[in-house]
Amino acid sequence: TQYLPFTLKNPNESKSRSISLIELSGEIFLCFAHKIANQPFPTQQHENTFNSLNNFLKSNNRKVHFFFIDYDRENKPDEDGMKQSDYLAAASTYFKNNAVFGKTTDAIYVVLTKSDLMLDDSGNPISKDKRIEYAKKHLGGHNYLSFVNTLKDSCKQYSINGGKLTVEPFSLGKVYFRDI
């Protein structure tokens, strides 16, 4: 868990606002899978991280949630035989069963990383203006529906994002290290 506190202030405001950015590694989704399956956590550190996460989620502080899904992983199984979609499905079950999103959630975003790697049906790169459409198509067709639908339902139920889930394709652009 990474914690970054900072303040923001508009030029016309006299007081600044305290903001905390809490970054959770992807391994936290392993904890959701263990919790849903009623299995013990792999280590004490996993349990401590999971408990910290729950404290953040249950606090009365306003929240904006970003979920980063790696397009390039192509939903391949990891060394435990679990796919990215399996972990996200476990998380969605946990979110639904524990009413994680509610009145303290201001926004939910799903960010599809490495969106520059998306290809159309003919194998051509997707233009920037069509990336949102293809990002939604990708999330709908690679076993992410359980996760996405849970987030959509929460957005509607609690009027988050005006009742709609926001999907954002994201890319750093061409990465030099891929060519080495």
Side-chain angles (χ1 to χ4, degrees):
T1 305
Q2 300 293 322
Y3 171 73
L4 177 65
F6 58 96
T7 59
L8 292 177
K9 181 180 168 192
N10 283 328
N12 59 346
E13 293 178 328
S14 60
K15 294 183 179 183
S16 58
R17 290 176 227 166
S18 295
I19 306 288
S20 297
L21 179 64
I22 300 166
E23 187 269 333
L24 300 166
S25 68
E27 285 76 19
I28 192 67
F29 286 88
L30 173 67
C31 295
F32 290 126
H34 280 268
K35 192 72 172 174
I36 293 304
N38 289 321
Q39 296 175 340
F41 292 111
T43 66
Q44 185 61 44
Q45 184 176 357
H46 283 86
E47 185 171 351
N48 294 345
T49 301
F50 188 79
N51 291 337
S52 292
L53 170 64
N54 274 322
N55 288 336
F56 292 137
L57 293 174
K58 291 177 183 176
S59 77
N60 289 325
N61 294 329
R62 308 300 306 167
K63 297 165 195 71
V64 176
H65 300 273
F66 293 91
F67 295 96
F68 291 85
I69 297 177
D70 186 346
Y71 174 80
D72 197 31
R73 286 200 56 196
E74 297 178 0
N75 207 22
K76 296 176 188 167
D78 63 12
E79 60 276 355
D80 297 322
M82 297 278 287
K83 297 177 183 176
Q84 188 172 226
S85 61
D86 297 328
Y87 291 118
L88 293 172
S92 68
T93 300
Y94 182 82
F95 297 157
K96 186 185 283 185
N97 292 348
N98 293 279
V100 167
F101 308 112
K103 296 181 190 240
T104 60
T105 300
D106 292 329
I108 300 173
Y109 297 93
V110 175
V111 180
L112 186 65
T113 64
K114 302 177 186 172
S115 64
D116 58 307
L117 300 177
M118 287 190 291
L119 303 174
D120 65 15
D121 295 333
S122 302
N124 299 313
I126 303 297
S127 62
K128 287 184 182 180
D129 61 325
K130 299 224 179 220
R131 285 188 184 165
I132 291 175
E133 174 189 337
Y134 275 83
K136 289 178 180 179
K137 184 178 176 183
H138 175 76
L139 294 172
H142 284 80
N143 299 319
Y144 300 115
L145 276 181
S146 173
F147 180 71
V148 170
N149 286 339
T150 295
L151 298 181
K152 281 182 180 179
D153 291 346
S154 294
C155 288
K156 287 177 189 168
Q157 182 177 357
Y158 298 107
S159 299
I160 301 167
N161 299 350
K164 297 184 181 196
L165 179 63
T166 302
V167 174
E168 295 290 336
F170 178 78
S171 172
L172 291 175
K174 186 164 175 63
V175 178
Y176 175 72
F177 288 113
R178 286 192 174 269
D179 297 331
I180 295 178

